[in-house]
């Protein structure tokens, strides 16, 4: 083709090299070459280009190749072969890198990196100019042979690089240049080397002291991965120098005590005290008591987090946060991302929050087995570049000790490296030997520079070992005998680095021993102080004082009618040039009728008005979830789309008096990751109302660890406050077992110590007041999460819509009495207590003639804390009660019955029966057949409305 006429000799060889790369991975070559190869196919072979001569205006004819041409062809083939060798070194040099401190793994076949494998001799390479092999060869590299040697050293010695998965050309070029030109190890000054050795000695002596002093106690030692601490030190130091406000870290328990002591400044004495007893004796139960002050239970020492302020450069302090974390390993990951996002955003103005990724650096330290094995890792990595969840790049460090508890890597993952999952997210990966301190420092500095430049994630696979068993009480010889034969003989990182610096003349043996003695002396002195006086970590001293308080009953949530009308009109004032979807426009414009006499506001309008009034009150709002912008049930529509231009508009951003930000995001199809993120955000942004909405409440069980370990228990374990609102669509409409139940019973089972509120509402005004009430507690000691069984079909049900009076003069009511029942107190024999959608079904039945004057119906709108006093007052009004009946649509072993039964029995007057009406016990939450559902629901309603003493035969 004519396209190839301008390419000959070395140029044609270069094009062939590009084409071979293109065949392996089209994205690995520049766009202009991709287009060329896509249009014209492969370039011509050299012999064809040389042997064919074109005569003027006619056909081509063959001519025999000249000796010069033959030599040119051989030179081109050598150039192509050299190009292949360079590409293989760059792409696969990591296979030959020195990564295994214990030398347990066999070295890879190095034939990939030998010139002979490509038909080259070292003489061939030596005859080539360096630049023809390595485009950016430094001046001291004289020829092709030296270029290959230098590249092999760069890619197979100190650090193993994996960049091939990074498709962005600018990023990849930056990474390649950094690996090849700046190289490894970094040029550390003499003082830096000595300081690094001193830190390693501190890390080692701390672990040795704990091992001797608290023999047999769990501590999850860092030994074998000692370099983790100096690497974190460097992240903090550089963040402080850059004026970064926050470094936010998450990690499991491996090495946590050492990180707390040396990176977050936790006093040695406080840690030693925790090996003896509770960190705060004031919280310990008195003799004969099982109670602990204000519900605070605390946690084991290797789960605790800490906040610590470090004076940085002239620009100010950096706050270092290590997130509290339970044993569910990687589940802290999305929380840290939420912490970081909250720290990066400014929420004091209308519109979306303003974000600056430089304000906070998130750092996640993973276990090698957990990184490959826990699905929450993938959920978190997927958040990295998403509009509503990006934190401007996370530094990931895999603390790779080569074994998971007692499980070898061959049984723990299907990939070569623990880090391979990250390749799917185009995250650059560096593997580094934990016994090479200077290489580790080079890796962390490269990671920080990459984040600063590209605002993307970076991963360091810190390859080391574990000196003892999983928790120092295990005997690893029983399960990894060969590994631990080598571990017992292997010198520590400090010992290896000390010997290296002595050989290089940077220090001497006497100085090293003096540093060790000083470190031991500080540890011993701190321990002696603990033995004489209790030492409490200042960060934990007041932990128990953060218990939940009752909300001030004087909170006003009602809003004047004129304000509601004004806000509704403002949100219908479309921006100039914006065309609302016609059908939706008509629906939204009808909202003005809600505030007129005879009108009613449905669930969606109540929510929108709650949000609008909060924004005027200065409360920032973040709402996220699957399809949250429109709402799963096409009811919310807080982001409108122009059908002509595709432009979007958020009505809540047009509120003229708004004093805070409003953010709504469609989340990825993830529950644990997104819920964890939003919970973390709510903790670090206590002034904001943060809402996570499940697509269906049933799906929340995919986030059960976040509920169990963090939201329900975070305050009791760690004094962690959150006002997160959790919307879980719930209700039986015949949609089957995965679209009916949000598993209300699980949240009630976890309810204790006033840890959260659980509600199941039946009025839109109740939703309005409850949201505003939640916002009023933000950033106070009374704040707690709110778990709301949100409606599905009831979203548009006319019996759920509320008149304006309930918004302007009302307040949230934990109990709602059914109008039209219980009016003749002397005649009431049955008191029905229920919650949620079944109450609307009962109201519908009453409206269609199934009335019973001998009963009264009460809806429990807030299940936890249970409204005992309100229900007791109601029951006291009916002196002739013969039975109290709990009615629910869920199966007997689900829903609220098991939780509510003791409360209901306590309400019953002497001689009155307590009955349950609902579905029988089942293993599945709902029927998958519409006709079966309809029969069951009708049966429940009919039985509930029968006269007293009627047997439940279901």
């Amino acid at each position: 083709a004519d396209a190839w006429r301008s390419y000959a000799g070395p140029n044609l060889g270069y094009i062939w090299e590009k084409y071979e790369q293109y065949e392996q991975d089209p994205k690995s070559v520049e766009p202009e070459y991709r287009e060329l190869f896509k249009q014209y196919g492969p370039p011509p072979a050299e012999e064809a280009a040389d042997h064919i001569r074109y005569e003027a205006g006619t056909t081509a004819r063959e001519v025999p190749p000249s000796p010069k041409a033959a030599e040119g062809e051989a030179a081109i083939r050598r150039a192509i072969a050299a190009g292949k060798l360079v590409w293989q070194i760059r792409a696969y040099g990591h296979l030959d890198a020195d990564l295994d401190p214990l030398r347990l793994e066999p070295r890879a076949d190095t034939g990939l990196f030998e010139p002979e494998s490509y038909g080259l001799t070292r003489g061939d390479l030596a005859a080539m100019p360096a630049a023809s092999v390595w485009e950016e060869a430094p001046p001291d590299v004289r020829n092709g042979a030296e270029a290959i040697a230098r590249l092999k050293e760069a890619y197979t010695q100190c650090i193993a690089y994996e960049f091939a998965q990074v498709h962005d050309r600018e990023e990849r070029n930056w990474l390649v240049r950094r690996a090849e030109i700046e190289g490894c190890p970094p040029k550390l000054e003499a003082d830096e080397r000595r300081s690094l050795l001193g830190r390693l000695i501190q890390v080692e002596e701390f672990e040795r002291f704990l091992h001797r002093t608290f023999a047999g106690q769990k501590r999850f030692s860092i030994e074998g991965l000692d370099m983790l601490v100096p690497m974190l030190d460097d992240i903090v130091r550089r963040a402080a120098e850059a004026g970064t406000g926050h470094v936010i870290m998450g990690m499991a328990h491996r090495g946590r005590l050492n990180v707390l002591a040396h990176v977050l400044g936790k006093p040695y004495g406080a840690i030693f005290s925790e090996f003896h007893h509770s960190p705060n004796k004031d919280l310990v139960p008195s003799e004969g008591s099982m109670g602990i002050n204000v519900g605070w239970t605390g946690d084991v020492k290797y789960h605790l987090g800490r906040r610590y302020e470090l004076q940085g450069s002239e620009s100010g302090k950096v706050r270092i946060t290590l997130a509290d974390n339970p044993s569910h390993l990687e589940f802290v990951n999305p929380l840290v991302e939420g912490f970081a996002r909250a720290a990066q955003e400014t929420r004091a103005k209308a519109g979306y929050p303003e974000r600056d990724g430089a304000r906070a650096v998130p750092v996640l330290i993973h276990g090698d087995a957990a990184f490959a094995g826990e699905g929450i890792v993938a959920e978190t990595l997927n958040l990295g570049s998403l509009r509503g969840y990006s934190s401007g790049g996370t530094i990931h460090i895999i603390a790779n000790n080569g074994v998971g508890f007692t499980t070898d890597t061959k049984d723990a993952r299907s990939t070569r490296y623990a880090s391979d999952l990250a390749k799917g997210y185009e995250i650059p990966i560096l593997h580094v030997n934990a016994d090479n301190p200077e290489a580790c420092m080079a890796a962390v500095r490269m990671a920080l520079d990459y984040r600063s430049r590209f605002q993307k994630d970076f991963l360091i696979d810190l390859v080391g070992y574990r000196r003892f068993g999983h928790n120092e009480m295990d005997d690893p010889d029983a399960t990894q005998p060969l590994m631990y034969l080598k571990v017992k003989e292997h010198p520590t990182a400090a010992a290896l680095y000390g010997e290296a610096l002595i050989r290089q003349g940077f220090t001497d043996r006497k100085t090293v021993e003096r540093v060790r003695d000083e470190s031991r002396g500080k540890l011993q002195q701190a321990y002696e102080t603990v033995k004489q006086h209790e030492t409490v970590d200042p960060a934990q001293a007041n932990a128990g004082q953060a218990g939940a308080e009752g909300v001030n009953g004087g909170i006003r949530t009602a809003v004047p009618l004129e304000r509601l009308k004004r806000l509704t009109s403002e949100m219908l004032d479309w921006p100039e040039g914006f065309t609302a979807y016609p059908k939706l426009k008509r629906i939204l414009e009808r909202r003005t009728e809600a505030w007129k006499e005879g009108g009613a506001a449905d669930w969606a309008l109540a929510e929108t008005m709650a949000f609008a009034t909060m924004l005027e009150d200065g409360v920032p709002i973040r709402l996220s979830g699957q399809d949250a912008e429109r709402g799963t049930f096409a009811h919310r529509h807080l982001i409108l789309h122009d059908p002509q231009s595709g432009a979007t508009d958020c009505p809540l951003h047009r509120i003229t008096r708004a004093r805070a930000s409003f953010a709504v995001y469609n989340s990825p199809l993830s529950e644990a990751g997104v819920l964890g993120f939003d919970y973390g955000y709510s903790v670090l942004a206590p002034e904001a109302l943060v809402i996570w909405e499940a697509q269906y409440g049933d799906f929340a069980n995919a986030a059960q660890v976040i509920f169990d370990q963090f939201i329900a228990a975070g305050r009791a374990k760690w004094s962690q406050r959150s006002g997160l609102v959790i919307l879980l669509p719930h209700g039986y409409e015949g949609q089957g077992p995965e679209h009916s139940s949000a598993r209300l019973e699980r949240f009630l089972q976890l309810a204790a110590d006033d840890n959260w509120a659980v509600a199941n509402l039946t009025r839109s005004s109740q939703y309005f007041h409850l949201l505003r009430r939640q916002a009023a507690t933000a950033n106070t000691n009374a704040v707690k999460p709110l778990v709301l069984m949100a409606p599905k079909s009831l979203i548009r049900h006319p019996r759920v819509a509320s008149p304006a009076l309930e918004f302007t003069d009302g307040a949230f009511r934990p109990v709602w009495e059914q109008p039209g029942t219980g009016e003749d107190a002397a005649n009431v024999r049955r008191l029905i207590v229920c919650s949620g959608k079944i109450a609307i079904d009962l109201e519908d039945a009453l409206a269609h003639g199934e009335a019973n004057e001998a009963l009264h119906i009460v809806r429990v709108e807030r299940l936890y804390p249970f409204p005992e006093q309100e229900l007791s007052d109601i029951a006291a009004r009916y002196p002739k009660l013969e039975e109290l009946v709990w009615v629910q649509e869920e199966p007997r072993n689900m829903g609220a019955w098991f939780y509510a039964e003791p409360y209901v029995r306590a309400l019953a007057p002497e001689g009155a029966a307590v009955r349950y009406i609902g579905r029988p016990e089942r293993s599945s939450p709902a029927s998958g057949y519409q006709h079966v559902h309809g029969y069951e629901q009708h049966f429940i309603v009919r039985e509930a409305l029968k006269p007293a003493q009627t047997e439940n035969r279901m």
Side-chain angles (χ1 to χ4, degrees):
D2 289 347
W4 305 118
R5 282 193 173 185
S6 59
Y7 295 97
N11 287 336
L12 184 58
Y14 178 75
I15 287 296
W16 262 106
E17 181 184 348
K18 288 290 183 184
Y19 183 73
E20 289 173 352
Q21 289 184 33
Y22 170 80
E23 283 189 304
Q24 293 190 35
D25 179 8
K27 292 182 180 180
S28 68
V29 301
E30 293 82 351
E32 56 267 27
Y33 287 119
R34 286 203 298 271
E35 188 60 34
L36 192 67
F37 298 142
K38 183 178 178 181
Q39 186 171 355
Y40 296 107
E46 175 61 27
E47 54 269 23
D50 191 59
H51 295 178
I52 296 176
R53 298 291 182 266
Y54 288 91
E55 295 184 351
T58 60
T59 59
R61 62 183 178 83
E62 290 286 335
V63 296
S66 65
K68 182 179 179 181
E71 176 53 34
E73 177 184 337
I76 289 169
R77 290 188 180 279
R78 288 193 294 272
I80 293 172
K84 288 181 178 179
L85 175 56
V86 169
W87 189 86
Q88 294 282 17
I89 291 171
R90 286 173 172 163
Y92 299 111
H94 58 86
L95 296 175
D96 193 34
D98 179 19
L99 294 180
D100 182 10
L102 301 178
R103 304 289 194 273
L104 287 170
E105 297 295 327
R107 297 296 291 269
D109 178 11
T110 58
L112 279 171
F113 316 123
E114 298 302 327
E116 291 77 12
S117 299
Y118 303 89
L120 291 169
T121 66
R122 282 167 174 74
D124 293 334
L125 290 171
M128 297 179 183
S132 69
V133 174
W134 182 11
E135 300 90 337
E136 296 191 19
D140 62 327
V141 176
R142 295 169 297 180
N143 55 53
E146 291 185 5
I148 292 297
R150 186 75 65 86
L151 287 172
K152 283 178 65 177
E153 181 180 3
Y155 283 97
T156 66
Q157 296 297 313
C158 294
I159 296 177
Y161 302 94
E162 287 195 275
F163 302 151
Q165 68 273 16
V166 178
H167 294 154
D168 183 274
R169 181 180 178 183
E170 182 186 359
E171 290 178 44
R172 194 170 61 250
N173 288 343
W174 185 93
L175 292 163
V176 167
R177 181 177 178 83
R178 183 67 176 257
E180 296 176 1
I181 304 301
E182 299 193 22
C184 165
K187 300 200 170 33
L188 297 180
E189 299 295 332
D191 286 345
E192 286 185 284
R193 289 185 166 101
R194 287 189 286 267
S195 177
L196 178 54
L197 174 59
R199 194 54 144 175
L200 285 172
I201 288 172
Q202 287 179 329
V203 168
E204 180 183 315
E205 291 300 333
F206 175 78
E207 296 291 354
R208 286 183 170 181
F209 187 86
L210 293 180
H211 194 66
R212 292 192 309 269
T213 310
F214 306 106
Q217 290 205 46
K218 296 179 184 179
R219 72 177 194 277
F220 300 99
S221 159
I222 202 173
E223 291 164 282
L225 294 165
D226 307 56
M227 267 307 297
L228 178 62
V229 168
M231 291 168 76
L232 295 177
D233 282 340
D234 205 57
I235 292 173
V236 170
R237 180 185 61 79
R238 295 190 66 187
E241 289 174 353
T244 300
H246 294 262
V247 174
I248 301 174
M249 299 186 292
M251 66 183 298
H253 31 268
R254 175 71 52 211
R256 192 179 187 91
L257 295 180
N258 217 307
V259 170
L260 282 167
H262 294 121
V263 182
L264 286 106
K266 186 168 184 175
Y268 287 154
I271 295 173
F272 299 159
S273 180
E274 290 169 2
F275 277 91
H276 281 301
H277 45 62
S278 166
N280 192 336
K281 283 185 175 178
D282 292 338
L283 302 174
V284 176
S286 59
E287 186 175 352
S289 167
M290 285 299 291
I292 295 183
N293 294 11
V294 293
W296 191 80
T297 61
D299 203 347
V300 293
K301 51 191 168 290
Y302 39 79
H303 290 170
L304 297 177
R306 197 172 195 272
R307 288 187 177 185
Y308 179 62
E309 281 193 350
L310 183 70
Q311 183 65 47
S313 61
E314 295 178 0
S315 53
K317 297 179 179 179
V318 59
R319 169 171 282 189
I320 315 165
T321 300
L322 177 62
D324 302 280
N325 188 32
S327 280
H328 281 74
L329 299 172
E330 302 291 333
F331 279 86
V332 78
N333 294 355
L335 272 76
V336 169
E337 299 297 339
F339 288 163
R341 178 69 176 239
Q344 291 168 357
E345 290 189 336
T346 302
R347 294 171 286 275
K349 293 195 297 186
Y352 278 100
E354 296 177 0
R355 186 175 72 86
D356 180 358
R359 291 192 185 119
V361 177
V363 181
L364 289 174
I365 299 136
H366 309 271
D368 52 311
F371 192 87
E374 296 280 0
I376 191 67
V377 176
E379 291 190 37
T380 305
L381 292 178
N382 187 50
L383 301 177
S385 297
L386 301 184
R387 179 174 60 98
Y389 306 90
S390 172
S391 58
T394 299
I395 306 300
H396 300 270
I397 302 174
I398 297 179
N400 190 342
N401 57 33
V403 59
F405 205 152
T406 66
T407 301
D408 293 320
T409 56
K410 67 179 184 295
D411 295 316
R413 62 176 185 259
S414 297
T415 57
R416 180 182 184 90
Y417 296 118
S419 57
D420 281 346
L421 172 67
K423 292 180 182 177
Y425 299 93
E426 299 189 35
I427 297 172
I429 299 168
L430 268 57
H431 308 274
V432 61
N433 189 323
D435 274 358
N436 190 328
E438 295 185 14
C440 293
M441 299 307 290
V444 79
R445 291 175 183 183
M446 183 174 180
L448 285 164
D449 290 346
Y450 177 86
R451 181 193 188 269
S452 177
R453 183 180 179 95
F454 298 107
Q455 295 82 54
K456 290 185 176 181
D457 289 15
F458 198 99
L459 189 148
I460 299 170
D461 181 15
L462 180 65
V463 184
Y465 56 92
R466 189 185 69 195
R467 186 157 290 277
F468 300 102
H470 176 66
N471 59 20
E472 293 79 42
M473 297 174 69
D474 296 310
D475 179 5
D477 291 354
T479 51
Q480 277 78 30
L482 299 181
M483 174 184 286
Y484 278 89
L485 280 174
K486 291 204 169 188
V487 168
K488 289 171 184 175
E489 301 298 323
H490 190 72
T492 65
L496 290 168
Y497 193 50
E499 290 298 323
L501 294 192
I502 291 169
R503 286 195 306 272
Q504 295 164 14
F506 289 106
T507 188
D508 56 62
R509 207 168 300 281
K510 184 177 179 180
T511 302
V512 172
E513 284 307 313
R514 190 190 75 244
V515 173
R516 283 196 179 276
D517 289 341
E518 290 173 355
S519 182
R520 292 168 188 154
K522 289 178 182 178
L523 291 161
Q524 188 63 41
Q525 182 180 3
Y527 183 59
E528 293 301 326
T529 302
V530 168
K531 288 197 296 184
Q532 297 173 24
H533 310 284
E534 179 173 3
T535 302
V536 177
D537 180 4
Q540 294 287 329
N542 298 317
Q545 297 179 17
E549 298 171 353
V551 178
N552 186 336
I555 292 176
R556 177 171 173 77
T557 56
V559 173
L561 181 60
E562 290 307 312
R563 187 181 178 191
L564 296 174
K565 288 181 177 180
R566 172 179 55 79
L567 287 167
T568 303
S569 297
E570 283 187 11
M571 286 187 283
L572 293 173
D573 186 12
W574 315 110
E576 185 176 349
F578 183 85
T579 303
Y581 179 52
K583 179 181 176 181
L584 178 58
K585 182 180 179 183
R586 291 192 297 271
I587 292 171
L588 295 176
E589 287 176 342
R590 283 201 298 268
R591 288 182 168 180
T592 58
E593 303 297 317
W595 309 121
K596 297 178 180 178
E597 188 172 348
D602 62 11
W603 188 270
L605 180 55
E607 179 185 77
T608 304
M609 287 296 101
F611 290 164
T613 54
M614 289 179 214
L615 295 176
E616 287 194 331
D617 294 341
V619 178
I621 300 168
R622 174 187 169 92
L623 165 63
S624 87
Q626 294 151 9
D627 313 293
E629 291 181 354
R630 188 201 76 169
T632 299
F633 307 102
H635 65 288
R636 180 171 289 127
H637 296 292
L638 289 180
I639 296 294
L640 308 179
H641 297 260
D642 188 323
Q644 298 176 9
S645 67
T648 59
D649 170 63
C650 178
L652 286 167
H653 290 168
R654 290 188 269 106
I655 297 173
T656 55
R657 300 180 191 175
R659 296 188 293 115
S661 63
F662 176 80
V664 56
Y665 300 108
N666 285 341
S667 77
L669 191 62
S670 158
E671 286 81 33
V674 175
L675 176 61
F677 183 101
D678 284 330
Y679 173 72
Y681 193 103
S682 73
V683 170
L684 213 75
E687 83 286 4
L689 183 74
V690 183
I691 303 172
W692 176 73
E693 181 177 58
Q695 190 177 69
Y696 288 89
D698 312 59
F699 301 170
N701 58 14
Q704 200 64 44
V705 172
I706 303 296
F707 287 117
D708 290 350
Q709 305 298 329
F710 293 96
I711 302 176
R715 191 155 194 161
K717 294 191 292 186
W718 312 310
S719 264
Q720 197 165 74
R721 292 188 299 176
S722 167
L724 181 67
V725 177
I726 301 149
L727 302 182
L728 306 178
H730 175 90
Y732 281 56
E733 284 96 3
Q735 298 301 309
E738 270 69 61
H739 295 84
S740 299
S741 175
R743 299 291 192 173
L744 171 61
E745 64 279 359
R746 295 181 181 172
F747 298 97
L748 294 174
Q749 186 180 40
L750 289 168
D753 299 323
D754 206 22
N755 62 331
W756 56 21
V758 181
N760 195 7
L761 308 181
T762 58
R763 302 286 292 180
S764 65
S765 59
Q766 289 278 84
Y767 183 40
F768 172 85
H769 290 297
L770 193 57
L771 284 178
R772 284 183 48 79
R773 186 180 183 84
Q774 186 75 2
T777 67
N779 213 14
T780 73
N781 204 40
V783 71
K784 58 186 174 183
L786 169 63
V787 181
L788 183 59
M789 301 290 109
K792 302 201 304 288
S793 65
L794 299 190
I795 278 176
R796 294 182 177 83
H797 201 294
R799 299 191 186 280
V800 174
S802 301
L805 187 63
E806 291 181 16
F807 295 85
T808 60
D809 293 329
F812 176 72
R813 292 155 61 177
V815 171
W816 189 282
E817 297 184 65
Q818 175 64 49
T821 66
E823 295 176 350
D824 184 0
N827 196 34
V828 171
R829 299 293 187 272
R830 171 183 287 181
L831 180 62
I832 292 177
V833 186
C834 58
S835 186
K837 177 181 172 292
I838 192 67
I840 303 301
D841 293 344
L842 292 171
E843 185 176 349
D844 274 340
L846 289 172
H848 288 86
E850 296 190 30
N852 178 355
E853 295 181 357
L855 62 78
H856 184 42
I857 301 174
V858 179
R859 308 174 190 177
V860 180
E861 299 278 288
R862 188 197 66 211
L863 286 156
Y864 183 81
F866 196 78
E868 296 177 74
Q869 187 59 53
E870 290 90 338
L871 286 172
S872 179
D873 292 343
I874 292 170
R877 300 204 309 259
Y878 302 104
K880 296 185 179 180
L881 276 181
E882 296 175 0
E883 59 179 3
L884 274 78
V885 178
W886 180 267
V887 180
Q888 69 178 36
E889 54 191 341
E890 301 90 352
R892 184 186 183 102
N893 58 320
M894 303 177 195
W897 168 240
F898 281 176
Y899 161 78
E901 181 182 7
Y903 294 110
V904 176
R905 291 195 181 279
L907 291 172
E910 187 176 350
V914 174
R915 297 180 54 207
Y916 163 86
I917 295 177
R919 287 173 169 81
E921 292 184 354
R922 291 209 172 121
S923 59
S924 178
S927 171
Y929 299 99
Q930 183 70 44
H931 67 282
V932 173
H933 162 79
Y935 168 78
E936 291 176 339
Q937 204 75 358
H938 179 69
F939 180 91
I940 293 169
V941 171
R942 190 182 71 234
E943 287 295 304
L945 298 180
K946 279 185 177 180
Q949 301 300 321
T950 300
E951 293 296 325
N952 179 354
R953 303 182 186 281
M954 186 175 179

